[in-house]
Amino acid sequence: MPPVFYLDECASTQDECTRILLYGDSGISAVYTFNQTRGKGQYGNSWESLVNRNIAYSFAVPASQIGIPENLLNFYTAIILRDFLANLSTFEVEIKWPNDLIIRNKKISGILIEKKTLHKKPYFIIGIGLNVLQENFEHLPKAGSLLTQTGIRFHLDHLVESFHGNFSERILQVIPDEEILTQINKTLFRKDVVSVFEIKGIRQNGIIRNVDEEGFLWVELENDGLSRFFHKEINMLY
């Protein structure tokens, strides 16, 4: 198992992983903190996190060591995280396309994957934010934590060490594309139920049908029929 480094505080675990790799060809590196001050989210968004309540974790790996297609890496990462979280309680854990983890209709975790070339070698830097002990989400009505959604108060150190051991092993495994797609569609949030979506400022009902091998989400819309969407082209209102 590769080592994982703890930081008392950092702006972004993604940036810290990059910094470690810049000092030399160190192969796989991983860092975590309970005090991330400027966390990154998808598409330039930020990831808000209270001190000593949540986990920010990043794992950098040479792209040559990843045995699944790049377009499926985000989904496979979500599957690994979902499986880990599902073993922590009896509550169902679902994957909200494309990169959020949901328990009882609340987002408890998000994923950010960046690809960078360092020392002329491509790396994937996989970032995971996990809400663990936070209880107040006054300004984030769709968010929750393991504590609010399961009632279990987890020990941050033990939780991140256990996750790192599981993740660092599974992310390097070679999984058939079909299995990844089967698993993502099996655990897809609000699949086959009527939801409200916003598309270019217009709302209409629709039903999520599946995610395909290219990462597109297929939704059967009330007015437009079966349509496919990429990231940020559709917003689910739930």
Side-chain angles (χ1 to χ4, degrees), residues 176-204:
D177 298 2
E178 296 79 9
E179 184 175 336
I180 295 173
L181 287 171
T182 297
Q183 288 300 315
I184 196 76
N185 283 298
K186 182 180 178 181
T187 58
L188 199 58
F189 179 59
R190 296 197 63 80
K191 183 176 182 289
D192 296 328
V193 297
V194 176
S195 302
V196 180
F197 297 90
E198 186 174 77
I199 306 161
K200 296 180 180 179
I202 299 174
R203 297 184 180 186
Q204 63 177 295

